[in-house]
Amino acid sequence: MPYRRYRPHRQFGIHDTHTFKMRLRKHVSERMPVFELPKAVQASDVRIYESSEPELFSRQIVQDERKQAEQNLKAIFSNYQPNTPKNMVQSLLNKEFAKTHGQPAYVFQAEEPLCDGVDQASILSNAIVRETLPDWVMKNVDEFDIPEEYVRDSILHGEKYDPTLEKLPIRHDPIIFWIRHPRVFGTPVVKRGNTILDNLFRQVYFAGRRNGKLQGLIVKRDPWISAYTESSNLFGDRPFVLRFRPHVLVESENADIPQLRPWLNQVEEASKEPLPDIYPISPLVDLQTDKFYHDYDGANALLTGIHKDMFKDLNPELLKDLSKEQLERLGALMSPNRNKSRFLAAMWCCERNQKYPWTTEQHAANAILHTYGLALAEANRRFFDLQLAEKALASNPIIMRGAQLFEGKLDLVTIQLNTMHHNSERKNFVWLQRALPLYKPRPYYEEMHELGQVEMGTMKKFTALIAGHPPKQTS
Amino acid sequence: MSQRSVGLLASVMARGLQISSTRGLRAKKRKEKPQSLPQHKWDMRDLQRQTGGEYTYKPLRLRRLGGRDPDTGHKVNQHIGGGVKFDYFLTDYHRRGPTESDKTYDERVLEVRRDANRTSHIAFVAGMHGKRWILATENMKAGDIIKTTCHLPENPVIGVEGNSYPVGSLAPGTLINSVERYPTMDSEVFIRQAGHAATVVKHQGDFTVIRLPHKHEFSLHKECMATVGRLSHGDITEKIFGSAQMHRRFGYKMSSGLWHKKDGYCGRKIKPLPPVRVLDAPSAPGPPLIQITLSKDQLSGLHGHAKVHNLLPSGYSHGEYRDTGDFGMDLTPYKK
């Protein structure tokens, strides 16, 4: 797929030049039809930019987006009611800001591989890991019908066509290490994977809608997720913070979806199983030490640089210094709809480190901690008080699904969050299927012209995981 | 030498400065052995700057000196230069464990890999306190558990390969590597080369005598830590670079034709081994380096009447002599 600069194989002679000039002249002389705005676009009443404007991306669009975010925020403040989360956030900040701001914490940022893989992830997430998919996923495998042609198109869209021509990283060959390979231009691996995940999710969504499911979904792209647990015996007096950025985050619009408790009966029995022992390695050995910012990690919003007085009244002067991203975060935090949606699933992809590649085990562990972090983030934003959260989770655990794409293979994870606290007697459940082959990709520096075999079995499992609905309660 | 100059010299010496000078040109001797030159491969100050003096297991991209002196920038070693830049791994030579008899600090070997910057293989180990790179011993492999103890038992123990003990606790005849010179965390270590090992010879009170591969013996404090076993990659001497170009890729330049090792034609001089050297305390740091720039006049090495032209004392010049002392150096800064 990458683009190579044109390099002639043989001498470009005078006759070739003559022919080329003739063809070019003819090509240039052809008149293109004048572009007319389609009526459907005109009817949608969207702002249309002039693409030849040199400052289009540097100024115009940025300004407009910022203005839009500012207007949204003002609208939210104008509709302020005493019982909106605004008060909750204010009290939260007043009480806990000073207490927890800058406190040292163990942080997982998906940058380091876990030494001991799944076992270590199991301890960090306080979960019993089953190396299979849940029963309801396996039952739903044949429920959704997605033609193979659609899947092939979805994959080829990411792998074959170049949406960008970025400079790709230097190629490193561990055998002939002294060779300087030519730099190629194309689409980075992560961007390709993200495109494929987007397409696959779209196919899943349409398949679900055809079956009358997956209604009222909100899909977010590249959101920052941050979640935390309180200090426990494992982490000492420090909280455990997970920060990462999945590409696709699926939320349900309907906060009143029936509470799922499929394996509630098995919690007590399964919690008696011991967690794996990874002695002599400490489970914390791969976590980074950073500071815990309650305004970022706790309230799940980036408020760095925003003064507390902003919450008393919307001061337009203060908004001037904020970036578009901060405005959006603030709007999301203040939004009365904030607590009305539920995280359902997330998808992301990884890139191979050329010099120090991660193992399959380490990728699976990464997928577990991502999904666990997502479930924690959902619990964090649903329950401000962690003590109350424990009681609520005992009767209504949180189910979260995650899919990780790495080199054409999918790690599928389902987690049932029964507890947020590592000292609790209850344990969480993780169902893991690691490195399920979907297709065989080419190296990033080569072009993919033809897609080989696509494993539709993997696609069916992926579909059933994302679109399938767990039963309300199992016996 | 005048009385005043002697006084000045005494004041200079009292400040802890060492002055050395050579008179005239040195006699032409045989060219020095190239081995005595420092390699100057890596800029260790860059390492200090990047890590802030703290240990990191992450691969680093160090500045390469290419045989140049880091201070002056002058080419010192012409046989070093060029080549591919490899990632640099900091290895931890100092292992510490509990001093109780029944406790050890355990680590698991996660990976053993070759390192382009040193001859021995290196092992990535993880324990309760973190991850680090150490030198791999001969039979070390991924999954091994290695132990470290600082306990000094009454009777010497037979060490297990890869484990680390104080040298005072090991039975005579044990092969060891990464041996600390002094029982401190910043001391240098013996035995870092692939396939090498020192041998514990005997224990004498608080000291233990070890024999290095070149048969010299050192007496170390018994608390100095050492790892049991021979270092890995012992067959590196049998491996060949394959081509001169491959040699260059690793940053070594050709070195033939300059110095010829004396062969057996003249007979080899058998020198007696030096006596056991006792390393009881680290040597004090040397005096600080002072950079003095000499003028062309001073570099002439001429003093007194020899310094001026023959005709000048005959009245052609009435200028006064500069106060340069008898050493040909401007000692004005030390007159206070």
Side-chain angles (χ1 to χ4, degrees):
Chain A
M1 194 172 76
Y3 170 76
R4 287 172 189 276
R5 282 185 176 150
Y6 176 69
R7 187 171 161 218
H9 287 290
R10 60 186 180 84
Q11 181 63 40
F12 202 73
I14 188 168
H15 298 294
D16 300 317
T17 311
H18 182 68
T19 315
F20 173 74
K21 281 186 174 177
M22 269 175 53
R23 288 186 176 187
L24 182 68
R25 219 175 288 128
K26 191 182 173 190
H27 178 73
V28 170
S29 64
E30 278 180 14
R31 285 274 175 187
M32 290 283 287
V34 179
F35 175 73
E36 287 182 1
L37 211 57
K39 286 181 181 174
V41 178
Q42 286 177 349
S44 64
D45 194 25
V46 292
R47 180 165 179 187
I48 292 154
Y49 296 94
E50 176 60 48
S51 59
S52 57
E53 178 69 36
E55 291 182 343
L56 174 67
F57 291 102
S58 61
R59 189 179 292 174
Q60 281 193 22
I61 291 182
V62 173
Q63 275 185 359
D64 284 357
E65 285 183 347
R66 194 186 177 288
K67 207 176 280 177
Q68 185 64 37
E70 206 172 309
Q71 281 174 358
N72 289 347
L73 192 65
K74 282 178 182 171
I76 290 164
F77 269 84
S78 62
N79 296 331
Y80 164 68
Q81 290 170 3
N83 293 329
T84 54
K86 180 177 162 183
N87 273 3
M88 293 164 70
V89 173
Q90 190 173 353
S91 65
L92 186 80
L93 287 176
N94 288 343
K95 282 179 190 171
E96 301 198 17
F97 185 85
K99 192 174 72 179
T100 55
H101 194 85
Q103 183 188 349
Y106 288 111
V107 181
F108 167 78
Q109 288 183 324
E111 291 170 356
E112 287 278 320
L114 298 187
C115 283
D116 217 8
V118 172
D119 287 352
Q120 196 176 345
S122 163
I123 297 174
L124 286 174
S125 57
N126 190 25
I128 305 291
V129 177
R130 306 261 190 262
E131 296 254 356
T132 175
L133 284 176
D135 297 339
W136 55 267
V137 174
M138 299 309 290
K139 281 176 190 168
N140 291 338
V141 158
D142 293 325
E143 187 180 345
F144 302 96
D145 181 33
I146 300 178
E148 185 177 344
E149 203 53 36
Y150 289 7
V151 180
R152 297 182 76 86
D153 278 354
S154 302
I155 295 170
L156 270 177
H157 178 211
E159 286 288 347
K160 190 173 179 182
Y161 309 112
D162 280 323
T164 64
L165 282 181
E166 287 177 34
K167 199 175 188 178
L168 297 181
I170 297 171
R171 180 175 159 194
H172 172 73
D173 191 324
I175 309 295
I176 40 173
F177 53 84
W178 59 90
I179 297 290
R180 286 194 168 196
H181 296 277
R183 287 297 278 261
V184 290
F185 297 74
T187 312
V189 173
V190 171
K191 191 163 281 186
R192 278 190 236 170
N194 287 345
T195 311
I196 292 170
L197 281 176
D198 264 338
N199 292 344
L200 291 182
F201 174 70
R202 192 176 297 115
Q203 300 299 346
V204 171
Y205 178 70
F206 288 147
R209 290 307 300 268
R210 282 197 291 272
N211 286 18
K213 293 182 177 175
L214 296 184
Q215 292 175 349
L217 290 190
I218 307 169
V219 181
K220 288 182 179 167
R221 307 267 186 261
D222 300 324
W224 284 103
I225 299 291
S226 181
Y228 74 101
T229 60
E230 278 188 334
S231 52
S232 63
N233 290 343
L234 179 62
F235 303 106
D237 56 349
R238 296 179 178 190
F240 176 36
V241 179
L242 299 101
R243 296 175 191 150
F244 50 92
R245 196 180 187 190
H247 176 59
V248 180
L249 176 65
V250 186
E251 290 184 36
S252 166
E253 237 174 16
N254 182 11
D256 305 323
I257 53 173
Q259 299 296 338
L260 306 172
R261 34 190 180 221
W263 305 280
L264 208 55
N265 306 343
Q266 305 161 22
V267 172
E268 278 191 17
E269 191 182 336
S271 296
K272 290 172 188 168
E273 292 180 31
L275 291 177
D277 183 16
I278 61 166
Y279 183 85
I281 299 176
S282 163
L284 314 178
V285 80
D286 298 304
L287 303 180
Q288 296 169 20
T289 309
D290 197 359
K291 287 184 176 172
F292 175 71
Y293 297 104
H294 202 290
D295 48 4
Y296 180 81
D297 298 313
N300 204 10
L302 176 65
L303 299 177
T304 315
I306 298 177
H307 198 265
K308 275 194 290 182
D309 291 345
M310 277 206 59
F311 294 100
K312 293 178 184 169
D313 192 13
L314 185 65
N315 186 353
E317 289 297 316
L318 285 173
L319 290 182
K320 279 182 184 174
D321 301 330
L322 301 184
S323 67
K324 175 205 149 203
E325 212 176 56
Q326 283 173 326
L327 284 168
E328 284 180 353
R329 296 272 181 181
L330 191 59
L333 185 71
M334 295 289 101
S335 166
N337 297 325
R338 182 173 165 272
N339 266 3
K340 288 192 176 174
S341 61
R342 296 277 182 264
F343 291 167
L344 288 183
M347 283 152 262
W348 65 97
C349 71
C350 302
E351 188 180 5
R352 168 182 282 269
N353 187 332
Q354 288 189 74
K355 281 189 176 176
Y356 310 104
W358 293 16
T359 60
T360 310
E361 176 92 5
Q362 286 166 338
H363 276 291
N366 189 46
I368 290 177
L369 280 194
H370 267 78
T371 319
Y372 172 65
L374 208 65
L376 267 187
E378 170 67 21
N380 282 155
R381 67 179 202 153
R382 207 187 287 181
F383 315 109
F384 279 106
D385 188 351
L386 294 187
Q387 302 298 330
L388 290 176
E390 284 299 299
K391 285 181 186 172
L393 286 175
S395 53
N396 294 313
I398 292 174
I399 307 283
M400 198 60 59
R401 287 147 295 187
Q404 175 178 270
L405 179 67
F406 169 66
E407 290 197 333
K409 291 173 183 163
L410 281 171
D411 293 293
L412 303 179
V413 181
T414 313
I415 190 163
Q416 175 174 315
L417 191 76
N418 298 318
T419 175
M420 293 171 72
H421 214 284
H422 282 66
N423 289 352
S424 168
E425 289 180 355
R426 288 198 307 275
K427 293 194 179 76
N428 303 317
F429 292 162
V430 166
W431 290 266
L432 167 71
Q433 279 252 297
R434 60 175 91 177
L436 292 173
L438 181 66
Y439 71 99
K440 196 174 179 187
R442 305 288 300 167
Y444 77 92
Y445 47 83
E446 286 182 13
E447 297 181 16
M448 179 187 267
H449 297 294
E450 286 184 7
L451 182 62
Q453 188 185 357
V454 174
E455 291 289 340
M456 285 308 289
T458 305
M459 184 60 199
K460 282 181 177 177
K461 286 179 182 172
F462 172 73
T463 311
L465 182 82
I466 302 297
H469 209 283
K472 288 183 181 175
Q473 181 138 12
T474 56
S475 54
Chain B
M1 190 183 286
S2 68
Q3 206 171 359
R4 203 170 120 242
S5 303
V6 171
L8 268 176
L9 180 63
S11 67
V12 167
M13 299 299 278
R15 286 162 185 256
L17 296 175
Q18 293 173 350
I19 295 176
S20 62
S21 64
T22 50
R23 302 195 64 165
L25 293 170
R26 253 191 284 177
K28 276 193 174 179
K29 290 181 181 176
R30 190 186 295 114
K31 207 168 178 65
E32 285 182 2
K33 289 183 183 179
Q35 285 92 329
S36 60
L37 289 172
Q39 275 208 324
H40 287 316
K41 282 199 80 174
W42 301 104
D43 190 354
M44 288 305 161
R45 293 178 196 172
D46 190 34
L47 176 70
Q48 174 77 15
R49 185 179 54 77
Q50 285 190 31
T51 61
E54 291 189 357
Y55 179 80
T56 175
Y57 60 87
K58 289 180 181 165
L60 300 164
R61 297 287 280 182
L62 288 196
R63 202 169 76 90
R64 291 181 76 158
L65 289 172
R68 286 178 175 78
D69 188 287
D71 289 320
T72 61
H74 294 172
K75 190 88 173 176
V76 174
N77 194 332
Q78 60 176 340
H79 306 305
I80 299 291
V84 178
K85 231 179 200 180
F86 295 101
D87 286 358
Y88 187 88
F89 290 101
L90 265 175
T91 47
D92 194 355
Y93 297 116
H94 305 279
R95 289 167 65 177
R96 288 288 181 278
T99 49
E100 292 84 358
S101 61
D102 52 345
K103 288 183 183 172
T104 53
Y105 175 62
D106 299 350
E107 286 163 302
R108 190 192 298 168
V109 180
L110 300 174
E111 180 189 1
V112 177
R113 62 175 289 155
R114 61 187 177 194
D115 187 3
N117 307 311
R118 44 177 62 82
T119 54
S120 170
H121 290 161
I122 53 174
F124 192 42
V125 297
M128 297 304 282
H129 297 160
K131 298 179 281 189
R132 58 179 169 173
W133 293 97
I134 62 169
L135 296 183
T137 56
E138 220 171 3
N139 301 312
M140 197 177 272
K141 59 182 185 307
D144 287 356
I145 305 282
I146 55 172
K147 298 171 183 290
T148 308
T149 176
C150 284
H151 175 62
L152 275 164
E154 289 184 7
N155 298 318
V157 295
I158 295 174
V160 179
E161 188 190 319
N163 289 6
S164 190
Y165 306 88
V167 285
S169 72
L170 290 169
T174 311
L175 297 181
I176 50 176
N177 67 75
S178 308
V179 193
E180 292 175 354
R181 284 166 172 255
Y182 308 99
T184 54
M185 288 294 279
D186 57 348
S187 85
E188 291 183 354
V189 295
F190 289 123
I191 314 297
R192 291 179 298 179
Q193 204 175 336
H196 280 213
T199 314
V200 177
V201 178
K202 58 186 173 182
H203 301 290
Q204 292 175 329
D206 282 350
F207 286 83
T208 299
V209 178
I210 64 163
R211 188 186 300 124
L212 299 188
H214 54 63
K215 295 179 182 172
H216 290 214
E217 291 183 345
F218 285 84
S219 181
L220 316 172
H221 198 273
K222 62 181 180 182
E223 290 178 2
C224 291
M225 297 294 288
T227 306
V228 173
R230 188 182 292 279
L231 281 182
S232 53
H233 206 189
D235 57 346
I236 189 174
T237 49
E238 295 162 18
K239 291 181 179 173
I240 52 172
F241 274 103
S243 69
Q245 186 54 32
M246 185 59 94
H247 201 236
R248 297 288 298 260
R249 282 173 196 135
F250 281 84
Y252 304 103
K253 296 165 78 176
M254 66 281 179
S255 62
S256 63
L258 293 169
W259 179 77
H260 295 282
K261 190 176 180 183
K262 231 165 54 167
D263 55 13
Y265 177 73
C266 307
R268 178 171 169 264
K269 189 174 181 183
I270 308 291
K271 290 181 187 173
L273 286 171
V276 178
R277 273 166 276 183
V278 180
L279 302 178
D280 50 354
S283 53
L289 284 174
I290 292 179
Q291 204 168 8
I292 299 169
T293 308
L294 299 175
S295 67
K296 196 175 178 183
D297 201 23
Q298 291 160 338
L299 280 172
S300 72
L302 300 172
H303 307 289
H305 290 294
K307 194 176 181 181
V308 294
H309 195 273
N310 288 337
L311 294 176
L312 285 182
S314 310
Y316 284 95
S317 168
H318 301 287
E320 292 182 358
Y321 291 124
R322 289 171 60 199
D323 187 5
T324 55
D326 282 356
F327 296 99
M329 289 197 313
D330 189 0
L331 298 174
T332 319
Y334 304 107
K335 278 184 175 178
K336 295 170 187 173

